[in-house]
Coordinates of all heavy atoms in Angstrom, one line a residue:
M1 N 123.4 313.8 205.2 CA 124.7 313.4 204.6 C 124.7 313.7 203.1 O 123.9 313.2 202.4 CB 124.9 311.9 204.8 CG 126.2 311.4 204.4 SD 126.4 309.7 205.1 CE 127.5 309.1 203.8
T2 N 125.6 314.5 202.7 CA 125.7 314.9 201.3 C 127.0 314.4 200.7 O 128.0 314.3 201.4 CB 125.6 316.4 201.2 OG1 126.6 317.0 202.0 CG2 124.3 317.0 201.6
T3 N 126.9 314.1 199.4 CA 128.1 313.7 198.7 C 128.9 314.9 198.3 O 128.4 315.9 197.7 CB 127.7 312.9 197.4 OG1 126.8 311.9 197.8 CG2 128.9 312.3 196.8
P4 N 130.2 314.9 198.5 CA 131.0 316.0 198.1 C 131.0 316.2 196.6 O 131.3 315.2 195.9 CB 132.4 315.7 198.7 CG 132.4 314.3 199.0 CD 131.0 313.9 199.2
V5 N 130.7 317.3 196.1 CA 130.7 317.5 194.6 C 131.8 318.4 194.2 O 132.3 319.2 195.0 CB 129.3 318.1 194.2 CG1 128.2 317.1 194.5 CG2 129.0 319.4 194.9
L6 N 132.1 318.4 192.9 CA 133.1 319.2 192.3 C 132.4 320.3 191.5 O 131.3 320.2 191.1 CB 134.0 318.4 191.4 CG 134.8 317.3 192.1 CD1 135.6 316.5 191.1 CD2 135.7 317.9 193.2
N7 N 133.2 321.4 191.3 CA 132.6 322.4 190.4 C 132.9 322.1 188.9 O 133.4 322.9 188.2 CB 133.3 323.7 190.8 CG 132.6 324.9 190.3 OD1 131.4 324.8 189.9 ND2 133.2 326.1 190.2
K8 N 132.6 320.9 188.6 CA 132.8 320.4 187.2 C 131.5 319.7 186.8 O 130.7 319.2 187.6 CB 133.9 319.4 187.1 CG 135.3 320.1 187.2 CD 136.3 318.9 187.1 CE 137.7 319.4 187.2 NZ 138.7 318.3 187.1
K9 N 131.4 319.5 185.5 CA 130.3 318.7 184.9 C 130.8 317.4 184.4 O 131.8 317.3 183.8 CB 129.6 319.5 183.8 CG 128.7 320.6 184.4 CD 127.9 321.3 183.3 CE 127.0 322.3 183.8 NZ 126.2 323.0 182.8
C10 N 130.0 316.4 184.6 CA 130.3 315.1 184.1 C 130.4 315.1 182.6 O 129.4 315.5 182.0 CB 129.3 314.1 184.6 SG 129.4 312.5 183.9
P11 N 131.5 314.7 182.0 CA 131.6 314.7 180.5 C 130.6 313.7 179.8 O 130.4 313.8 178.6 CB 133.0 314.3 180.3 CG 133.5 313.6 181.5 CD 132.7 314.1 182.6
I12 N 130.1 312.8 180.6 CA 129.2 311.8 180.0 C 127.8 312.3 180.0 O 127.1 312.3 178.9 CB 129.3 310.5 180.8 CG1 130.7 309.9 180.8 CG2 128.3 309.4 180.2 CD1 131.3 309.6 179.5
C13 N 127.2 312.7 181.1 CA 125.8 313.1 181.2 C 125.6 314.5 181.5 O 124.5 315.0 181.5 CB 125.1 312.2 182.2 SG 125.6 312.5 183.9
G14 N 126.6 315.3 181.9 CA 126.5 316.7 182.2 C 126.0 317.0 183.6 O 125.9 318.2 183.9
K15 N 125.9 316.0 184.4 CA 125.5 316.3 185.8 C 126.8 316.8 186.6 O 127.9 316.7 186.1 CB 125.0 315.1 186.5 CG 123.6 314.7 186.0 CD 123.1 313.5 186.8 CE 121.8 313.0 186.3 NZ 121.3 311.7 186.9
Q16 N 126.5 317.3 187.8 CA 127.7 317.7 188.6 C 128.5 316.6 189.0 O 128.0 315.6 189.5 CB 127.2 318.5 189.8 CG 128.3 319.3 190.4 CD 127.7 320.4 191.3 OE1 126.6 320.3 191.9 NE2 128.5 321.5 191.5
A17 N 129.8 316.7 188.8 CA 130.7 315.6 189.2 C 130.9 315.5 190.7 O 130.8 316.5 191.4 CB 132.1 315.8 188.5
V18 N 131.2 314.3 191.1 CA 131.5 314.2 192.6 C 133.0 313.8 192.8 O 133.6 313.3 191.9 CB 130.6 313.0 193.2 CG1 129.2 313.4 193.0 CG2 130.9 311.7 192.5
L19 N 133.4 314.1 194.0 CA 134.9 313.9 194.2 C 135.3 312.5 194.1 O 136.3 312.2 193.5 CB 135.1 314.4 195.7 CG 136.6 314.4 196.1 CD1 137.4 315.4 195.3 CD2 136.7 314.8 197.6
E20 N 134.4 311.6 194.5 CA 134.8 310.1 194.5 C 135.0 309.6 193.1 O 135.9 308.7 192.9 CB 133.7 309.3 195.2 CG 134.1 307.9 195.4 CD 133.0 307.1 196.2 OE1 132.0 307.7 196.5 OE2 133.2 305.9 196.4
Y21 N 134.3 310.1 192.1 CA 134.4 309.6 190.8 C 134.8 310.6 189.8 O 134.6 310.5 188.6 CB 133.0 309.0 190.3 CG 132.6 307.9 191.2 CD1 131.4 308.0 192.0 CD2 133.3 306.6 191.2 CE1 131.0 307.0 192.8 CE2 132.8 305.6 192.0 CZ 131.7 305.8 192.8 OH 131.3 304.7 193.6
Q22 N 135.5 311.6 190.2 CA 135.9 312.7 189.3 C 136.6 312.2 188.1 O 137.4 311.2 188.3 CB 136.7 313.7 190.1 CG 138.0 313.2 190.6 CD 138.9 314.3 191.2 OE1 139.1 315.3 190.6 NE2 139.3 314.1 192.4
P23 N 136.5 312.8 186.9 CA 135.6 313.9 186.7 C 134.2 313.6 186.3 O 133.5 314.3 185.7 CB 136.3 314.6 185.5 CG 136.8 313.4 184.7 CD 137.2 312.3 185.7
F24 N 133.8 312.4 186.8 CA 132.4 311.9 186.5 C 131.5 312.1 187.6 O 131.9 312.4 188.8 CB 132.4 310.5 186.0 CG 133.4 310.2 185.0 CD1 134.7 309.6 185.3 CD2 133.2 310.6 183.7 CE1 135.6 309.4 184.3 CE2 134.1 310.4 182.7 CZ 135.3 309.8 183.0
C25 N 130.2 311.9 187.4 CA 129.2 312.1 188.5 C 128.9 310.8 189.2 O 128.4 310.8 190.3 CB 127.9 312.6 187.9 SG 127.0 311.3 186.9
S26 N 129.3 309.7 188.6 CA 129.0 308.4 189.3 C 129.9 307.3 188.7 O 130.5 307.5 187.6 CB 127.6 308.0 189.1 OG 127.3 307.8 187.7
K27 N 129.9 306.1 189.3 CA 130.7 305.0 188.8 C 130.2 304.6 187.4 O 130.9 304.2 186.6 CB 130.6 303.9 189.8 CG 131.5 302.7 189.4 CD 131.5 301.6 190.4 CE 132.6 300.6 190.1 NZ 132.5 300.0 188.8
K28 N 128.9 304.7 187.3 CA 128.3 304.3 186.0 C 128.9 305.1 184.8 O 129.3 304.6 183.8 CB 126.8 304.6 186.1 CG 126.0 304.1 184.9 CD 124.5 304.4 185.1 CE 123.8 304.5 183.8 NZ 122.4 305.0 183.9
C29 N 128.9 306.4 185.0 CA 129.5 307.3 183.9 C 131.0 307.0 183.8 O 131.5 307.0 182.6 CB 129.2 308.7 184.2 SG 127.5 309.2 183.9
A30 N 131.7 306.7 184.8 CA 133.1 306.4 184.7 C 133.3 305.1 183.9 O 134.2 305.0 183.1 CB 133.7 306.3 186.1
D31 N 132.4 304.2 184.2 CA 132.5 302.9 183.4 C 132.2 303.1 181.9 O 132.8 302.5 181.1 CB 131.5 301.9 184.0 CG 132.0 301.3 185.3 OD1 133.2 301.5 185.6 OD2 131.2 300.7 186.0
I32 N 131.2 304.0 181.7 CA 130.8 304.2 180.3 C 132.0 304.8 179.5 O 132.4 304.4 178.4 CB 129.6 305.2 180.2 CG1 128.4 304.5 180.7 CG2 129.5 305.7 178.8 CD1 127.2 305.4 180.8
D33 N 132.7 305.8 180.2 CA 133.8 306.4 179.5 C 135.0 305.4 179.3 O 135.6 305.3 178.3 CB 134.3 307.6 180.4 CG 135.4 308.3 179.7 OD1 135.1 309.1 178.8 OD2 136.6 308.1 180.1
L34 N 135.2 304.5 180.3 CA 136.2 303.5 180.2 C 135.9 302.6 179.1 O 136.7 302.2 178.3 CB 136.3 302.8 181.5 CG 137.4 301.7 181.5 CD1 138.8 302.3 181.5 CD2 137.3 300.9 182.8
G35 N 134.6 302.2 178.9 CA 134.2 301.3 177.9 C 134.5 301.9 176.5 O 134.9 301.3 175.6
R36 N 134.1 303.2 176.4 CA 134.4 303.9 175.1 C 135.8 303.9 174.8 O 136.2 303.6 173.6 CB 133.9 305.3 175.2 CG 132.4 305.4 175.1 CD 132.0 306.9 175.2 NE 130.5 307.0 175.2 CZ 129.9 308.2 175.4 NH1 130.6 309.3 175.6 NH2 128.6 308.2 175.4
W37 N 136.6 304.1 175.8 CA 138.1 304.2 175.5 C 138.6 302.9 175.1 O 139.4 302.8 174.2 CB 138.7 304.7 176.9 CG 140.1 305.1 176.7 CD1 140.6 306.3 176.3 CD2 141.3 304.3 176.9 NE1 142.0 306.3 176.3 CE2 142.4 305.1 176.6 CE3 141.5 303.0 177.3 CZ2 143.7 304.6 176.8 CZ3 142.8 302.5 177.4 CH2 143.9 303.3 177.2
L38 N 138.2 301.8 175.8 CA 138.7 300.5 175.4 C 138.3 300.1 174.0 O 139.0 299.6 173.2 CB 138.1 299.5 176.4 CG 138.8 299.5 177.8 CD1 138.1 298.5 178.7 CD2 140.3 299.2 177.7
K39 N 137.0 300.4 173.7 CA 136.5 300.1 172.3 C 137.3 300.8 171.3 O 137.7 300.3 170.2 CB 135.1 300.5 172.2 CG 134.1 299.4 172.6 CD 132.7 299.8 172.3 CE 131.7 298.8 172.9 NZ 130.3 299.2 172.6
G40 N 137.6 302.1 171.6 CA 138.4 302.9 170.6 C 139.7 302.3 170.3 O 140.2 302.4 169.2
T41 N 140.4 301.7 171.3 CA 141.7 301.1 171.1 C 141.6 299.7 170.4 O 142.5 299.3 169.8 CB 142.5 301.0 172.4 OG1 141.8 300.1 173.3 CG2 142.7 302.3 173.0
Y42 N 140.5 299.1 170.6 CA 140.3 297.7 170.1 C 140.0 297.7 168.6 O 140.3 296.8 167.9 CB 139.2 297.0 170.8 CG 139.7 296.2 171.9 CD1 139.4 296.6 173.2 CD2 140.4 295.0 171.7 CE1 139.9 295.8 174.3 CE2 140.9 294.3 172.8 CZ 140.6 294.7 174.1 OH 141.1 293.9 175.1
V43 N 139.4 298.8 168.1 CA 139.0 298.9 166.7 C 140.1 299.0 165.7 O 140.0 298.8 164.5 CB 138.0 300.0 166.5 CG1 137.5 300.1 165.0 CG2 136.7 299.8 167.4
V44 N 141.3 299.3 166.2 CA 142.5 299.5 165.3 C 143.0 298.2 164.8 O 142.7 297.1 165.3 CB 143.6 300.3 166.1 CG1 144.6 300.9 165.1 CG2 143.0 301.4 166.9
H45 N 143.8 298.2 163.8 CA 144.5 297.1 163.2 C 143.5 296.0 162.7 O 143.6 294.8 163.0 CB 145.4 296.4 164.3 CG 146.4 297.4 164.8 ND1 146.7 297.5 166.1 CD2 147.2 298.2 164.2 CE1 147.6 298.4 166.3 NE2 147.9 298.9 165.1
T46 N 142.5 296.4 161.9 CA 141.6 295.3 161.3 C 141.6 295.4 159.8 O 140.8 294.8 159.2 CB 140.2 295.5 161.9 OG1 139.8 296.9 161.7 CG2 140.1 295.1 163.3
N47 N 142.6 296.2 159.3 CA 142.6 296.4 157.8 C 143.3 295.3 157.1 O 143.1 295.1 155.9 CB 143.2 297.8 157.5 CG 142.2 298.9 157.6 OD1 141.0 298.7 157.6 ND2 142.7 300.1 157.8
E48 N 144.2 294.6 157.7 CA 145.0 293.7 157.0 C 144.2 292.3 156.9 O 144.0 291.6 157.8 CB 146.3 293.4 157.8 CG 147.2 294.6 157.6 CD 148.5 294.4 158.3 OE1 149.0 293.2 158.3 OE2 149.1 295.3 158.8
T49 N 143.9 292.0 155.7 CA 143.2 290.7 155.4 C 144.0 290.0 154.4 O 144.6 290.6 153.4 CB 141.8 291.0 154.9 OG1 141.8 292.0 153.9 CG2 140.9 291.4 156.0
P50 N 144.1 288.7 154.5 CA 144.9 287.9 153.6 C 144.2 287.7 152.2 O 144.0 286.6 151.8 CB 145.1 286.6 154.3 CG 143.8 286.5 155.2 CD 143.5 287.9 155.5
E51 N 144.0 288.8 151.5 CA 143.3 288.7 150.2 C 144.2 288.8 149.0 O 143.8 288.8 147.9 CB 142.2 289.7 150.2 CG 140.9 289.3 151.0 CD 139.8 290.3 150.8 OE1 139.9 291.0 149.8 OE2 138.9 290.3 151.7
E52 N 145.5 289.1 149.3 CA 146.4 289.4 148.2 C 146.5 288.2 147.2 O 146.5 288.4 146.0 CB 147.7 289.9 148.7 CG 147.7 291.3 149.1 CD 149.1 291.8 149.3 OE1 150.0 291.3 148.7 OE2 149.3 292.8 150.1
E53 N 146.6 287.1 147.8 CA 146.8 285.9 146.9 C 145.6 285.6 146.1 O 145.7 285.3 144.9 CB 147.1 284.7 147.8 CG 148.5 284.7 148.3 CD 148.9 283.4 149.1 OE1 148.3 282.4 148.7 OE2 149.8 283.5 149.9
A54 N 144.4 285.8 146.6 CA 143.2 285.6 145.9 C 143.1 286.6 144.7 O 142.7 286.3 143.6 CB 142.0 285.8 146.8
L55 N 143.6 287.8 144.9 CA 143.5 288.8 143.9 C 144.5 288.4 142.8 O 144.2 288.6 141.6 CB 143.9 290.2 144.4 CG 142.8 290.9 145.3 CD1 143.4 292.2 145.9 CD2 141.7 291.2 144.4
K56 N 145.7 287.9 143.1 CA 146.6 287.5 142.1 C 146.1 286.4 141.2 O 146.2 286.4 140.0 CB 147.9 287.1 142.7 CG 148.8 288.2 143.1 CD 150.1 287.8 143.8 CE 150.9 289.0 144.3 NZ 152.0 288.5 145.1
N57 N 145.4 285.5 141.8 CA 144.8 284.3 141.0 C 143.8 284.8 140.0 O 143.6 284.2 139.0 CB 144.2 283.3 142.0 CG 145.4 282.6 142.7 OD1 146.5 282.5 142.2 ND2 145.1 282.0 143.9
S58 N 143.0 285.9 140.4 CA 142.0 286.3 139.5 C 142.4 287.3 138.4 O 141.7 287.7 137.6 CB 140.8 286.9 140.3 OG 141.3 288.0 141.0
E59 N 143.7 287.6 138.5 CA 144.2 288.6 137.5 C 144.3 288.0 136.1 O 144.5 288.7 135.1 CB 145.6 289.1 137.9 CG 145.5 290.3 138.9 CD 146.8 290.7 139.3 OE1 147.8 290.2 138.8 OE2 146.9 291.6 140.2
Q60 N 144.2 286.7 135.9 CA 144.4 286.1 134.6 C 143.2 286.2 133.7 O 143.3 286.0 132.5 CB 144.8 284.6 134.8 CG 146.1 284.4 135.6 CD 146.3 283.0 136.0 OE1 145.4 282.1 135.7 NE2 147.4 282.7 136.6
E61 N 142.1 286.6 134.2 CA 140.9 286.7 133.4 C 141.0 287.8 132.4 O 141.4 288.9 132.7 CB 139.7 287.0 134.3 CG 139.3 285.7 135.1 CD 138.0 286.0 135.9 OE1 137.1 286.5 135.3 OE2 138.1 285.8 137.1
D62 N 140.7 287.5 131.2 CA 140.7 288.6 130.1 C 139.4 289.3 130.0 O 138.4 288.7 130.5 CB 141.0 287.9 128.7 CG 142.5 287.5 128.7 OD1 143.3 288.2 129.4 OD2 142.8 286.5 128.0
E63 N 139.4 290.4 129.4 CA 138.1 291.1 129.3 C 137.3 290.6 128.2 O 137.8 290.4 127.1 CB 138.4 292.6 129.2 CG 138.9 293.2 130.5 CD 139.2 294.7 130.3 OE1 139.0 295.2 129.2 OE2 139.5 295.4 131.3
Ligands
LIG1 ZN1 127.5 311.4 184.6

């Protein structure tokens, strides 16, 4: 009994992809790719920090 394979390479590990998990070679690699994708979208929107008021308060210091 053989697993049907595709004429493609898994983008994660480079092995031959299988039909069931295309374009990956296994569920493991599919999960890895999904995890990377989710992390990539989660990292956005972290630049805004409420530090503006603190900066204004410290502007009064003379040199
Ligand atoms: Zn793989």
